[in-house]
Amino acid sequence: MNNLFRVKSIDAIIAESHSGNGLKRSLSTRNLIALGIGAVIGTGIFVLTGTAAANYAGPALIISFVISAIGCIMAGLCYAEFAAMIPVAGSAYSYSYATLGEFIAWLIGWDLILEYLFAASTVSVGWAGYTVSFLADLGLRIPVALTSAPFDYVHNEGWVFTGHLINLPAMLVIALFSLLLIGGIRRSAIFNNIIVVTKLIVILLFIGLGASYIDTANYTPFIPENTGEFGFFGWSGILRGAGVIFFAYIGFDAVSTAAQEARNPQKSMPRGILYSLLVCMILYILVTIVLTGMVNYKELNVSAPIAFAIDRAGEGLFWLRPFIKVGAIAGLSSVILVLLLGQSRIFYIMSKDGLLPPLFSRVNEKYGTPHYSTLMTGVSCCIIAGLLPINVLGELVSIGTLMAFVLVCISIIVLRKTRPDVKRPFRTPFVPVVPILGVLICLSQMLALPVDTWIRLFSWMAIGLVCYFFYGRKHSKLNDPKG
């Protein structure tokens, strides 16, 4: 039983990251900030802003974004301490291994596979939708049978066949980015920088040009009166909106999976995590201010609220519409790229510890990337994205992310008690207040999720337990430290 909670020493974890045949350290602070922005700004800013304002908070969604950002910053500060102290590729998995033990580390590693694998698949389906629409505007139409999943899940009916064949565009974009990642982290980072700059330009154009079309009457009432039901406008609506919007910030933790490829991780990892979160928070708030000022919140329950606001502005901004679609495609592209990167690095580090087969930790001699891990990630995501609908995929992502946040916050408190002597290039301020607040905020979000989501989480974890007890525990490097 004690073997389940054996910890891996921080010194051993860091020593392994500096051993030969490892990942190449080629990422600067700027690259890491771009990775963070690339992972966060996507579906949230192009979709969730409108639906959350229309259904829950109205113009006061601005407050929801601030509340949600506070929860993410609490978790982000904890991630920053760990990323600087343990600069390896495993993110929350490695942090848990050094504090809470191997069994908890396995659970969180398996949980991160759920987060990244299904998140990348989810976003690729969204990318396919925007791309098909954009191509249709250019007169290029792809048959619906090749752009939709063959399966769907209908409430009270279960799984049904849709009559479609496969979501081919979603599969192709994953295949393309997987090949790009195999070709080297630096090349991937350069590509990510380009598409991040593209979507930031589009977002700033919307903010700057849309501001002149704001009608201040749309801000009244700023906090719409509650309908009599919890979560629908009023202050409870603001809190419900914060719960929905929280998932718009998901992705910043993927920066920590690139720690082993950062040139100076002790300094650049905290900056990459916290600066990217700060930039995204400011942009989300500004977009919400402009969006709810241009269009009455009651009209924003649409799939593309920013494009809808551009249409409502008339001929003055109509020229911006194709650029908004390009920005959305670029935004979703960078999210897919960073999530695929994060997933392959989780496979890599778990394999290095013996918990997954050694194939996953092999590094390509030419490119310095875990090519088999990346290939396996790409193939898995292609199958999932091609066959499953976006609503089922999305539900599986959020709870996994929140669980990771909770364990990282708890680990900070544990390690401060058990290893106060460890060098900490960055220290989370106001411990234990900050991590406790992070735990409470993230747990409250988890408890608000539907029961079906919990059932799917437990099912996934049950599969993980079988894998651990039949393979991981027997092959763990902690059984034979010299091996």
Side-chain angles (χ1 to χ4, degrees), residues 341-380:
L341 168 71
Q343 176 58 77
S344 62
R345 271 49 178 181
I346 295 297
F347 276 146
Y348 167 83
I349 202 71
M350 291 179 74
S351 174
K352 291 281 285 185
D353 290 332
L355 302 183
L356 289 176
L359 182 72
F360 289 99
S361 56
R362 291 185 187 175
V363 175
N364 185 281
E365 293 183 4
K366 180 178 180 181
Y367 300 116
T369 58
H371 52 304
Y372 286 116
S373 283
T374 305
L375 184 62
M376 180 62 72
T377 298
V379 170
S380 301

Side-chain angles (χ1 to χ4, degrees), residues 281-354:
M281 178 185 71
I282 293 171
L283 288 177
Y284 276 152
I285 291 172
L286 289 176
V287 166
T288 306
I289 291 172
V290 174
L291 184 64
T292 55
M294 291 177 67
V295 182
N296 188 281
Y297 73 90
K298 296 177 182 177
E299 302 176 58
L300 287 174
N301 192 24
V302 294
S303 60
I306 293 179
F308 178 74
I310 294 296
D311 288 344
R312 289 295 302 273
E315 295 182 1
L317 287 184
F318 191 76
W319 62 271
L320 190 56
R321 183 179 174 84
F323 293 99
I324 291 296
K325 287 192 176 182
V326 169
I329 292 169
L332 297 173
S333 297
S334 60
V335 175
I336 297 169
L337 181 72
V338 178
L339 291 173
L340 290 173
L341 168 71
Q343 176 58 77
S344 62
R345 271 49 178 181
I346 295 297
F347 276 146
Y348 167 83
I349 202 71
M350 291 179 74
S351 174
K352 291 281 285 185
D353 290 332

